[in-house]
Amino acid sequence: MNSSEKPLVRAGRWLLSLVLAVFGLCMVGGGIWLIALGGNWYYAIAGLLSLGSAIGLARRRPSASLWFGALFLLTLAWTVWEAGSRYWAWVPRFALVLVLAIGFSLLLPTLHARMTRRRAGAVTGVLVAAFLVATGLAFVPQGVTEAENVPAVAGNAFEAATGAGTDSALPSTDWPAYGGNQAAMRYSLASQITPANVKNLAVAWTAEVGEVPSDSRWGVQNTPLKIADSLYVCGYLNTVTALDAATGKAKWTFDPGVTSKAVPYTPACRSLAYFAEPAADTATAGATCATRIIVGTLDARIIELDARDGKRCDSFGSNGEVKLTEGMGEVYQGYVAITSAPAVVRDTLIVGHTTIDGQRAYGPSGVTKAYDVRTGKLKWAWDAATPMDTAPRVGEDVYKRGSPDVWTSFTGDNKLGLVYLPVANASGDYYSSERTPEELKYSPSLTALDVETGQPRWTFQNTHADVWDNDPGSPPTLFDYPQADGTRIPAVIFPTKSGDVYVLNRETGKPLFPVEERPVPQGGFEPAARSKTQPFSLFNSLAKGDMTPEKTWGLTPLDQLACRIQYHQADYRGQYTPPSVDKPIINYPGYNGGSDWGGVALDPARGLIIANYNDMPNYTRLVSRAEADKLGWKAPQIINDPGYKAHGEGAGDPQEGLPVAVDVNAGWQMKFTGMLCKEPPYGGIRAIDVRDGRTVWDRPLGTARKNGPFGLPTGLPIVIGTPNNGGSVVTKSGLVFIAAATDDLIRAIDITTGKTVWSAPLPAGGQAMPMVYEAGGREYVVITATGHHFMHTPRGNFVVAYALPQ
């Protein structure tokens, strides 16, 4: 070695020696722990090599190079073996060691007498070049299924025939329902904006609607309605504002007087409902409330407003409103809230609600109610606990407490006279033994009710005896299958959190594609209650296969090691591993999907389903009642209490009234870094051929622009595939508009390639579904940007409209 050593070189040598020593000690300690759990031996061996190199480096011995070289080569070989061609799998295994190698190469001349600076510089140059190439690859989207055999446009072959209502046709100038039309296709005939000119799209106007929440819960998730020249927007605490659809200027505002104490998990108002008297009815044309905007509030009221001026429709209920909570008994603040749009089928107004999960197993009922849309008279009430008893009931507490709710958006069919309810679980999501036989049959499920009587026509269950919070969050989408003989089969798309996408005959509930009952893991806290099989769709699944130790992740080998230890500490035997008090389980996909409340869009001309999805596990543990009591887990009287900070659903939920509480680490995040323990991507978007379930293309959705370790945004346009909530809209010209991801961007995707052809930053998080309409001969793309506390996106109260320059 060289006899003399400059002070700066000496300092660098001691610093690198210290880093290698700390790294080695952590790797050895954690590696031995992992070996004891039956895990991989690499970490412990790599830690020993790192310690050997650190000691040699501190003593300025040439042997340090041998130790580090062995570490480098072992790591490279192990990475190739475990990660293969998966780019993101290389990051925690090799990136840090490569950086350490660059630092080590700078010290070679001080360790080896015959090593010239020129030779050392060449080694450094090769390593730096490798690092730069690896960094550059991060900007190339990974995990892409390129578009193949994209169906051609063929009229609107798959349009759903749902009747002659104002919202039955495919929308073009208007957007009269949450999903665009009654079938919830989320498709517009507007074609002014095309893949060729979308690059010129710019902000046409921005409006602010309602207040910006100041507490720990935000996320309105609203998709406005557009009728004639007005845009109807629901803001924070259900403030309804009518805007000029072409300019964004306010016409009128209605404040229902909701307070923040009514906020449940989020202050969502996903949409409003619209009802118009038949055009042929000249007696009501131009009369008061001939057209109505209907809002369901966070404090469980249904209010009807005259669409022209925002004044209450006095003919509806009492002073223009009815109370959903009548007959429910004791209702705590925030426990019963209408967060999704009511539905109008024929002249019946159907209203569901969210019943807050995880707090009281026997809280308020999840009953769904139907009213005369003109008078507010209760027509029927459907409760999954007593599904055949739908007649209106009178009394103080006449519905079973804690019964399954219907919290997400649902869809109707005027022609068949049916409403399709995605039925959730009873209030205690993670314990099923106390559910009634009726609850076990109807939840979770897609259930079709006769709109006139509330009687169930059919039910299709997506999870048997669910204890994984697999309640369906996606609104069903309706379409028709054309047959060779000219007939059409009425169909419904039913996406689920487990990732399975079912296609059913919407008249009978029978699957149109095979559904296979497969054996699933047994045991857990209630072994006798577990179903031996679960239904798997053979049409298409958004799930990505089983979680494995090799799919754990981190930025460095150390945090990946921590996740790998957690993996081996958990009970995981594949999807539907039963929860337990003895060990945590890995629930994959977790309760955020698969497909959540964003649902899917359907291009009826090409026959393509557009489905954005999440690909994240939950790390879930049941907690004994004694332990939960010791920890002080109690159900609050007010959900949005300042002393009860918003957190991920299930994170320390008491489930009062049941033998167990539950603790869910949503997304399986590392507490220290905030990074997820699963390898990216965490979300994607897929095109599926509705004819046969074939995946046409699939790509990660979302960049690292607003994401990073410790909650710090990287600012980098790396397509990592982020968690996403909110759906898409498709246009006749072949564009898919979507925000949803946690990078605060709205983007346009070419439906024929799956590639992003335009994007723009939003002033707040875009956890909502965009809409498309025309006003004054100009096509607009509109989205509300209000953020979401669970998604960690910034809050706001913005409505942003984009259009081509005039």
Side-chain angles (χ1 to χ4, degrees):
M1 69 184 71
N2 295 332
S3 57
S4 61
E5 187 179 34
K6 293 181 179 180
L8 184 60
V9 174
R10 182 183 299 111
R13 177 169 58 84
W14 277 103
L15 177 60
L16 184 57
S17 175
L18 178 63
V19 170
L20 287 170
V22 173
F23 176 71
L25 286 170
C26 293
M27 290 283 279
V28 168
I32 292 173
W33 189 358
L34 184 61
I35 291 169
L37 292 170
N40 194 280
W41 284 59
Y42 161 78
Y43 299 91
I45 296 171
L48 291 172
L49 295 174
S50 184
L51 285 173
S53 181
I55 294 170
L57 201 59
R59 300 175 67 184
R60 202 181 169 195
R61 296 293 175 85
S63 61
S65 298
L66 294 175
W67 286 101
F68 189 85
L71 170 64
F72 185 87
L73 293 175
L74 171 67
T75 302
L76 179 59
W78 176 68
T79 302
V80 171
W81 177 61
E82 271 211 343
S85 61
R86 303 192 325 272
Y87 173 82
W88 292 114
W90 278 68
V91 172
R93 292 168 173 84
F94 196 65
L96 178 61
V97 173
L98 181 57
V99 171
L100 293 174
I102 293 171
F104 197 96
S105 69
L106 298 173
L107 298 173
L108 289 175
T110 198
L111 296 174
H112 301 276
R114 295 183 180 181
M115 176 63 71
T116 64
R117 287 186 173 85
R118 184 174 181 179
R119 288 181 179 177
V123 174
T124 303
V126 170
L127 293 171
V128 169
F131 181 79
L132 292 176
V133 169
T135 302
L137 288 173
F139 293 87
V140 178
Q142 308 294 320
V144 174
T145 300
E146 297 290 355
E148 185 177 6
N149 297 325
V150 180
V153 173
N156 291 314
F158 297 94
E159 181 179 0
T162 62
T166 57
D167 60 352
S168 292
L170 294 174
S172 55
T173 57
D174 283 356
W175 194 264
Y178 176 49
N181 64 349
Q182 188 177 62
M185 282 187 165
R186 301 177 177 187
Y187 176 83
S188 174
L189 292 170
S191 58
Q192 189 180 100
I193 303 169
T194 69
N197 64 25
V198 69
K199 63 180 181 295
N200 300 319
L201 211 58
V203 174
W205 53 260
T206 300
E208 295 185 47
V209 172
E211 298 179 357
V212 179
S214 58
D215 54 28
S216 62
R217 299 167 192 265
W218 66 93
V220 178
Q221 307 169 2
N222 179 249
T223 299
L225 304 182
K226 192 269 183 180
I227 296 99
D229 59 358
S230 294
L231 191 70
Y232 300 96
V233 187
C234 188
Y236 178 58
L237 300 182
N238 304 118
T239 299
V240 181
T241 301
L243 304 176
D244 185 290
T247 66
K249 293 182 179 179
K251 293 183 173 183
W252 55 257
T253 295
F254 171 79
D255 183 353
V258 177
T259 71
S260 62
K261 289 183 178 181
V263 173
Y265 179 60
T266 53
C269 183
R270 294 188 182 95
S271 195
L272 305 162
Y274 173 72
F275 175 74
E277 295 291 352
D281 189 352
T282 56
T284 58
T288 299
C289 291
T291 56
R292 307 181 186 212
I293 297 297
I294 306 165
V295 57
T297 67
L298 296 172
D299 56 5
R301 291 174 289 152
I302 305 102
I303 304 173
E304 292 198 353
L305 307 173
D306 192 317
R308 299 174 304 175
D309 54 20
K311 294 181 179 180
R312 290 173 180 259
C313 296
D314 291 335
S315 60
F316 180 80
S318 175
N319 191 30
E321 68 177 59
V322 296
K323 295 181 179 179
L324 187 71
T325 54
E326 289 183 356
M328 284 191 188
E330 186 175 9
V331 176
Y332 318 99
Q333 289 184 311
Y335 279 73
V336 175
I338 304 170
T339 54
S340 296
V344 180
V345 184
R346 296 179 178 173
D347 61 355
T348 299
L349 172 65
I350 307 101
V351 186
H353 66 276
T354 183
T355 303
I356 200 72
D357 285 336
Q359 301 302 320
R360 290 176 167 85
Y362 296 101
S365 170
V367 61
T368 297
K369 294 185 177 182
Y371 303 88
D372 184 298
V373 72
R374 297 179 178 87
T375 66
K377 180 181 178 182
L378 184 63
K379 297 179 70 172
W380 50 261
W382 186 79
D383 190 350
T386 53
M388 307 309 294
D389 183 8
T390 61
R393 305 179 194 178
V394 178
E396 290 300 315
D397 200 351
V398 294
Y399 303 103
K400 180 181 179 294
R401 297 190 67 78
S403 61
D405 60 0
V406 182
W407 61 265
T408 193
S409 306
F410 42 87
T411 310
D413 186 328
N414 285 328
K415 183 178 180 181
L416 295 177
L418 296 176
V419 61
Y420 305 96
L421 304 182
V423 184
N425 285 325
S427 296
D429 280 316
Y430 298 90
Y431 185 80
S432 67
S433 293
E434 295 187 12
R435 296 174 193 165
T436 68
E438 292 80 10
E439 289 173 319
L440 289 171
K441 177 182 178 181
Y442 285 93
S443 69
S445 73
L446 183 66
T447 295
L449 303 182
D450 186 302
V451 74
E452 302 299 339
T453 65
Q455 292 288 312
R457 291 266 192 94
W458 56 260
T459 187
F460 177 87
Q461 189 168 69
N462 57 288
T463 303
H464 307 318
D466 179 27
V467 287
W468 301 273
D469 198 7
N470 272 347
D471 53 325
S474 304
T477 296
L478 313 184
F479 72 103
D480 288 351
Y481 267 123
Q483 303 297 296
D485 62 1
T487 61
R488 300 172 68 84
I489 297 176
V492 56
I493 302 166
F494 179 34
T496 62
K497 290 181 179 179
S498 65
D500 285 293
V501 181
Y502 303 96
V503 180
L504 313 173
N505 183 315
R506 72 173 183 269
E507 189 170 15
T508 66
K510 301 296 183 184
L512 295 175
F513 292 86
V515 175
E516 183 177 83
E517 289 285 342
R518 297 178 189 165
V520 292
Q522 297 295 290
F525 185 69
E526 321 163 74
R530 298 285 63 78
S531 173
K532 295 188 182 303
T533 64
Q534 292 291 349
F536 289 82
S537 172
L538 300 187
F539 173 76
N540 194 288
S541 177
L542 304 169
K544 299 284 190 173
D546 286 345
M547 185 71 191
T548 65
E550 292 76 22
K551 290 181 181 178
T552 54
W553 203 71
L555 286 177
T556 71
L558 296 177
D559 45 335
Q560 188 196 32
L561 172 58
C563 289
R564 210 150 176 164
I565 288 170
Q566 289 184 25
Y567 178 96
H568 285 282
Q569 288 176 321
D571 178 18
Y572 178 69
R573 290 167 280 148
Q575 196 172 2
Y576 298 107
T577 297
S580 170
V581 294
D582 301 321
K583 285 184 174 183
I585 67 163
I586 297 168
N587 181 20
Y588 178 57
Y591 64 49
N592 208 34
S595 181
D596 203 352
W597 57 264
V600 303
L602 176 64
D603 182 338
R606 294 176 177 85
L608 285 181
I609 299 169
I610 303 300
N612 59 296
Y613 59 90
N614 288 299
D615 186 24
M616 300 179 296
N618 284 353
Y619 199 76
T620 302
R621 181 175 71 95
L622 296 183
V623 178
S624 69
R625 179 55 51 205
E627 183 182 351
D629 291 343
K630 186 177 180 180
L631 291 168
W633 292 359
K634 298 293 182 183
Q637 292 291 109
I638 303 172
I639 291 297
N640 197 32
D641 191 301
Y644 189 72
K645 187 177 180 181
H647 54 254
E649 187 175 337
D653 280 357
Q655 294 198 137
E656 286 186 7
L658 296 178
V660 286
V662 66
D663 195 17
V664 179
N665 179 346
W668 189 10
Q669 302 174 68
M670 286 290 291
K671 291 184 179 180
F672 179 62
T673 63
M675 302 295 287
L676 276 63
C677 272
K678 177 203 161 286
E679 180 184 306
Y682 306 120
I685 186 167
R686 177 180 297 183
I688 303 167
D689 193 329
V690 78
R691 299 164 184 83
D692 54 16
R694 175 179 62 91
T695 294
V696 176
W697 53 258
D698 191 354
R699 304 179 70 86
L701 176 66
T703 68
R705 174 178 176 264
K706 288 291 188 78
N707 302 275
F710 309 105
L712 301 174
T714 66
L716 299 173
I718 298 172
V719 182
I720 196 169
T722 73
N724 58 90
N725 265 339
S728 63
V729 59
V730 180
T731 66
K732 180 181 179 181
S733 64
L735 289 171
V736 179
F737 288 100
I738 187 168
T742 57
D743 56 7
D744 304 339
L745 294 175
I746 183 172
R747 46 180 54 82
I749 297 171
D750 187 327
I751 199 171
T752 63
T753 66
K755 295 181 179 179
T756 298
V757 290
W758 169 84
S759 65
L762 292 167
Q767 280 64 57
M769 184 187 73
M771 60 184 295
V772 176
Y773 63 82
E774 292 179 1
R778 196 178 186 194
E779 181 180 341
Y780 294 85
V781 178
V782 171
I783 188 168
T784 59
T786 58
H788 197 294
H789 73 85
F790 176 69
M791 306 296 284
H792 305 292
T793 56
R795 67 187 84 195
N797 64 342
F798 302 99
V799 184
V800 187
Y802 299 89
L804 295 174
Q806 289 181 307

